[in-house]
Amino acid sequence: MRDKQPPADDKPVRKKPNIFVRLLAFLVTLALMFGAVTLVVYRDKLNFDVFRRWFTYRSLERNDSGQAQSFVHGGEVYDRFAAVGDNLLTASSTGYRLFSGSGVKYVDEQAALENPVVSSAGNYGLVYDAGGRSLFVFKNKEEIFSLTLDAGKTLLSARVNPSGWLAVTTQATGYKGSVTVYNADYAPVLRLNLSSSFIMDAVVTADNKSLATITIGQGDAGFQSRFSLYALDRTEEQTEADASCLLGSMVVLDFQESSAGFWALGDSGVALAGKDGALAGSYDFGGRYLKEFSLGGDDFAVALLGKYRAGTLSDLVVIDAAGTAGVSMPMNEQVLSLSAAGRYIAVLTADRLDIYTSDMTLYSSVEGIQGARKVLMRSDGTALLIASDTARLYVPN
């Protein structure tokens, strides 16, 4: 016998959602929309660095102004310093040391360094003796590589990139310039020897595919600085650049890659070369004296320029990726130290530390800096304040 079927018009009745469930869903949607609008409108004040600092430094003891307990760095304010990730790397004529931001000593080694130079990229740090033969690389809490050049060679410059790749520029007999590239395992992967121009500086690009160099040579109007790119997958006999551009007659004082390109800062101006090797922008100082500078910002360079070499009157100029002075702020007091990292600019004067965002909006300010003479800005919005023989971390509230 066939089962009895329900009448065709007997359809299941669909229950309406509970009124409280519907109200809750509406409130959640409204909250998400409000949060998204708030993040867009107040993105300069409500940034993720606030939460990052809270999680990272919530257990660090600080005074009411946000400064942690100072620690002895074992040197003088005239030593060389660099922020390596969350750590502090120092070097002097007698050796080098690596500390945590709260003063835990990770490395303390003696070495004869006649002209110590310190730099960093991400979690990697570097110390070398300019004009000498010694070089040391650090990652996080330890020294991971050291190099002593052969007799007859001297170090002109060295740079490590955020992946740990190393470019070592040397002066060697028979060439005007020579660069050796080491991979993250510190095995040499390329030696570039030039006879036509002097190599002043070099760095491996962030993608670990090319070598970027600054050279100086004879041009139509005298000596000219040049930016060049060389692919790493080449033989040592191939010395022609894959791309290059002239930077003018300025003497390049610092050289750094950023997300915008390659900054080259000189005594008379700053230039930005694109990732394709072409000149993307330049800014001329207009005869003003360069007093302080930093290339550590994400998409900008910052320079303190004065009409006179001495005196306190100067302009703090933020130079954007187009090579224009995006923002300029007059300074009427002596600036002891200037440092940029991420989206922040730290300006240290005799009585306070001011931290600005790249549009020169005041982000944080603290007085009572206890004799600090140098500042190292960090990308999370914190800053290391360095006095004659001590250092301490400042964490904005």
Side-chain angles (χ1 to χ4, degrees), residues 62-63 65-69 366-368 370 385 392-394:
R62 291 167 280 164
N63 59 23
S65 67
Q67 298 180 67
Q69 182 68 33
V366 59
E367 298 180 350
Q370 305 170 29
L385 290 165
R392 61 193 177 279
L393 182 66
Y394 168 63

Side-chain angles (χ1 to χ4, degrees), residues 6 15 23 64 68 136 145 150 193 216 264-265 275 340 343 357:
K15 298 179 66 176
L23 180 61
D64 293 340
F136 311 92
F145 177 67
D150 296 334
N193 297 311
I216 188 168
L265 184 140
K275 305 286 179 146
R343 62 194 291 266
T357 53

Side-chain angles (χ1 to χ4, degrees), residues 223-292:
F223 280 98
Q224 297 281 323
S225 291
R226 179 181 291 272
F227 169 82
S228 301
L229 285 173
Y230 298 84
L232 294 183
D233 56 349
R234 63 172 55 221
T235 65
E236 293 185 16
E237 291 73 23
Q238 295 174 297
T239 59
E240 290 296 322
D242 296 292
S244 68
C245 63
L246 286 174
L247 303 178
S249 59
M250 69 178 180
V251 177
V252 176
L253 305 174
D254 200 8
F255 175 50
Q256 189 163 319
E257 183 180 7
S258 74
S259 57
F262 299 87
W263 292 101
L265 184 140
D267 55 341
S268 59
V270 60
L272 179 69
K275 305 286 179 146
D276 59 355
L279 186 64
S282 62
Y283 178 78
D284 189 273
F285 295 157
R288 290 174 292 178
Y289 292 99
L290 177 65
K291 296 185 174 184
E292 291 280 344

Side-chain angles (χ1 to χ4, degrees), residues 67-82:
Q67 298 180 67
Q69 182 68 33
S70 63
F71 62 89
V72 176
H73 57 65
E76 298 179 354
V77 73
Y78 303 106
D79 291 350
R80 302 294 183 261
F81 302 89

